[in-house]
Amino acid sequence: QAGSSLTDLTTTATPTDQGYYKIKGQKLFISAGDHDGADNIIHLALVRIKDAPPGIKGISLFIIPKKRIKADGSLEFNDVNCTGIYHKLGYRGAPITQLAFGENDDCRGWLVGEANKGLAYMFQMMNGARIDVGLAAACISSAAYYASLEYARERPQGRKLTSKDPLSPQVPIIEHADVRRMLLFQKSIVEGSLALLIQCGLYEDLEHVTEGEERENYNLLLELLTPVAKSYPSEMGILSCSQGLQILGGYGFCEEFPLEQLYRDVRIHPIHEGTTGIQGMDLLGRKMMMKKGKAAQLYLAEVRKAIREAQDDMELKPFADKLQLAVGQLENVTAHLFGIAAKEGPEMFLADATLYLEFFGIIAIAWQWLRQAVCARKALQKNPGESDVNFYNGKMVACRYFFGYELPKIEGLAIRLLSGDGLTVTMKNEYFED
Ligand SMILES: Cc1cc2nc3c(=O)[nH]c(=O)nc-3n(C[C@H](O)[C@H](O)[C@H](O)COP(=O)(O)OP(=O)(O)OC[C@H]3O[C@@H](n4cnc5c(N)ncnc54)[C@H](O)[C@@H]3O)c2cc1C
């Protein structure tokens, strides 16, 4: 099986006296689980050893090859069968398979590390994979942005509102304010997402070259930001590709142009490697509370450092001040929700965790835009060449766009998150009946 609730997995491993285990069970939605592109396929799978404790404490990690190695070095089939291929909306370059292990009672698996510690081992891979999902989403959105930008520059349609002459030539659609708005939306999402992902990459690198408490701090920052770096580019990537498609008008809906495929391909990213709902609960229910809130404090200190740096520049001060207010709101909302956790329990506390993730994500991207604006301002003061001036001015306008159009969205989210009326918890399923 696959899915959000790992505790319920039922694939089992029975020990033998030969150094391997006999594996039985199914795995769903396995990316590239079977194909002809390699001589062998080695699966790393979470499995429950027979009589292991229930829940996550009884999950172990196994190596299960499609073909096992015989004593003479040749390969023999290991009873791993592909029982189905999913037909998908997008992401069609990879076959997503349903696998059956041990249908003929002849599937062997080898334990990785210690028994019952599989989830911790798997999360070493999963944390990196979640960042990679965010990166893949940002890359698809980036391709969509450049495709729609190119189209907007070339497609003549309509005239400026100030042009009264119906015989004057039509203008490229990039001249229309509404098209520029859509392009700026894409640019601010794509480059904001990439900046956050690079920030995570920096924390990971620093974690590897530091020691002691400093190392732990970088690890905490990376852990805290992982659900955000996975979800923001994925969720906003869908909207960003959708706006890109909109820029192409009718052609956006057609296979002759790349937008329709990019729009389909980006849709997987809020689903796999933990849905956005799961990421929201991870951020609010685990990461914000981790080490008595130390990760959250470290993060706020990082954002405040960027605010201080920007406040020295009169042009950037208004943005720095807005981010300061946003950080205050983040603290208020978080404290309010922790209060709910203490008084009303986890259902009420985490009911709107996905909205909290969205709220947190917008502020994190505003932080990244402020940092980019600081760099752009410094670069512009060095009298760069014309193309660099355009590049850095583009950064400044995208920053203004994000602070002017996206950051205000936290106001509505904060109202909802502070309301605490438990609407979705108390709603009865019967009320959905027509
Ligand atoms: C194209 C593709 C490739 C994939 N590749 C792999 C792979 O290589 N390996 C692998 O192991 N898996 C893979 N998956 C599986 C993927 O990780 C799961 O589909 C995903 O984790 C969601 O699990 P699910 O499909 O069981 O949905 P469910 O867990 O049933 O979730 C359905 C909805 O319910 C919500 N939900 C579930 N539980 C809760 C809860 N406790 N509280 C609140 N909301 C909840 C979810 O957020 C979601 O919105 C792939 C999936 C796809 C579509």
Side-chain angles (χ1 to χ4, degrees):
Q1 339 74 29
S4 308
S5 185
L6 288 169
T7 47
D8 295 314
L9 73 84
T10 56
T11 302
T12 51
T14 308
T16 69
D17 54 9
Q18 308 287 311
Y20 59 80
Y21 290 67
K22 282 201 151 185
I23 310 289
K24 218 173 195 20
Q26 275 196 68
K27 292 283 173 189
L28 309 185
F29 286 117
I30 303 306
S31 295
D34 202 7
H35 54 82
D36 302 328
D39 292 338
N40 200 0
I41 299 169
I42 314 290
H43 302 285
L44 270 175
L46 292 177
V47 177
R48 194 176 288 287
I49 296 176
K50 204 162 170 275
D51 301 325
I56 52 172
K57 290 189 179 136
I59 294 176
S60 303
L61 187 65
F62 277 84
I63 286 179
I64 310 173
K66 176 180 171 182
K67 295 175 192 164
R68 59 196 181 221
I69 305 172
K70 289 204 294 191
D72 65 3
S74 62
L75 297 174
E76 74 176 345
F77 184 57
N78 191 35
D79 197 13
V80 178
N81 281 292
C82 174
T83 50
I85 301 259
Y86 295 91
H87 299 276
K88 314 182 296 297
L89 174 72
Y91 193 42
R92 293 185 181 158
I96 312 300
T97 58
Q98 184 174 327
L99 297 178
F101 299 104
E103 277 188 325
N104 303 305
D105 206 25
D106 189 27
C107 177
R108 298 177 191 176
W110 284 265
L111 181 66
V112 177
E114 290 177 42
N116 301 332
K117 294 205 171 153
L119 208 61
Y121 299 148
M122 197 272 298
F123 262 98
Q124 288 179 28
M125 180 277 292
M126 181 68 97
N127 283 333
R130 286 181 170 170
I131 302 262
D132 289 346
V133 166
L135 185 60
C139 291
I140 294 174
S141 310
S142 178
Y145 165 58
Y146 285 111
S148 46
L149 177 61
E150 187 181 348
Y151 185 88
R153 282 179 169 144
E154 290 171 0
R155 164 75 168 162
Q157 186 74 292
R159 293 172 182 80
K160 299 291 282 181
L161 294 172
T162 46
S163 167
K164 305 264 188 284
D165 178 5
L167 297 177
S168 64
Q170 298 194 83
V171 295
I173 58 171
I174 198 168
E175 293 291 331
H176 302 308
D178 192 51
V179 173
R180 285 197 189 141
R181 176 190 59 76
M182 292 191 275
L183 287 168
L184 276 169
F185 176 75
Q186 287 183 280
K187 182 176 168 69
S188 73
I189 299 305
V190 169
E191 295 175 14
S193 296
L194 285 172
L196 182 65
L197 289 155
I198 291 167
Q199 184 76 53
C200 289
L202 177 67
Y203 290 146
E204 191 178 358
D205 285 351
L206 289 169
E207 190 193 334
H208 285 121
V209 295
T210 50
E211 285 174 6
E213 192 184 349
E214 203 182 356
R215 181 190 175 118
E216 187 196 62
N217 289 351
Y218 288 125
N219 174 267
L220 287 174
L221 283 163
L222 183 61
E223 289 250 337
L224 180 85
L225 288 175
T226 295
V228 187
K230 195 258 174 194
S231 304
Y232 185 92
S234 300
E235 290 287 352
M236 295 307 290
I238 296 170
L239 302 184
S240 178
C241 288
S242 176
Q243 291 284 265
L245 190 151
Q246 191 73 12
I247 288 171
L248 271 70
Y251 289 119
F253 204 63
C254 299
E255 285 179 3
E256 283 75 8
F257 287 82
L259 266 297
E260 69 85 30
Q261 186 198 329
L262 297 169
Y263 182 56
R264 287 186 290 103
D265 282 348
V266 79
R267 189 61 187 85
I268 181 59
H269 294 307
I271 298 173
H272 64 168
E273 305 292 2
T275 61
T276 301
I278 298 299
Q279 305 302 322
M281 288 191 284
D282 182 41
L283 176 68
L284 180 59
R286 214 167 74 78
K287 302 291 174 65
M288 290 301 283
M289 293 180 148
M290 201 165 51
K291 300 249 170 185
K292 297 189 179 143
K294 188 176 176 195
Q297 289 310 318
L298 288 166
Y299 169 68
L300 292 175
E302 288 282 279
V303 179
R304 290 204 168 99
K305 196 165 81 186
I307 291 171
R308 276 196 303 279
E309 208 182 340
Q311 273 169 336
D312 294 341
D313 181 329
M314 276 308 117
E315 187 144 330
L316 296 180
K317 192 169 181 309
F319 303 119
D321 291 347
K322 279 186 184 172
L323 188 56
Q324 181 100 292
L325 288 174
V327 168
Q329 270 180 312
L330 177 62
E331 285 182 306
N332 281 347
V333 166
T334 307
H336 172 79
L337 292 173
F338 283 178
I340 290 187
K343 279 189 244 125
E344 300 178 57
E347 288 286 345
M348 293 288 273
F349 170 46
L350 295 175
D352 281 331
T354 302
L355 298 190
Y356 180 82
L357 176 66
E358 186 182 347
F359 172 75
F360 190 109
I362 295 171
I363 297 169
I365 300 297
W367 164 49
Q368 287 303 313
W369 268 115
L370 190 62
R371 296 198 66 217
Q372 292 191 65
V374 168
C375 295
R377 285 280 296 161
K378 283 184 185 154
L380 283 167
Q381 280 155 16
K382 290 182 188 156
N383 295 323
E386 191 187 338
S387 71
D388 281 356
V389 168
N390 287 336
F391 174 80
Y392 291 119
N393 278 332
K395 287 282 181 196
M396 291 304 298
V397 175
C399 175
R400 272 175 54 205
Y401 176 89
F402 197 87
F403 275 78
Y405 285 72
E406 292 302 304
L407 188 60
K409 291 177 181 169
I410 65 166
E411 303 293 337
L413 289 165
I415 290 170
R416 175 63 234 164
L417 289 163
L418 290 169
S419 87
D421 63 2
L423 184 146
T424 52
V425 177
T426 52
M427 160 88 185
K428 288 188 166 41
N429 290 342
E430 300 82 67
Y431 298 166
F432 285 113
E433 280 167 23
D434 290 325

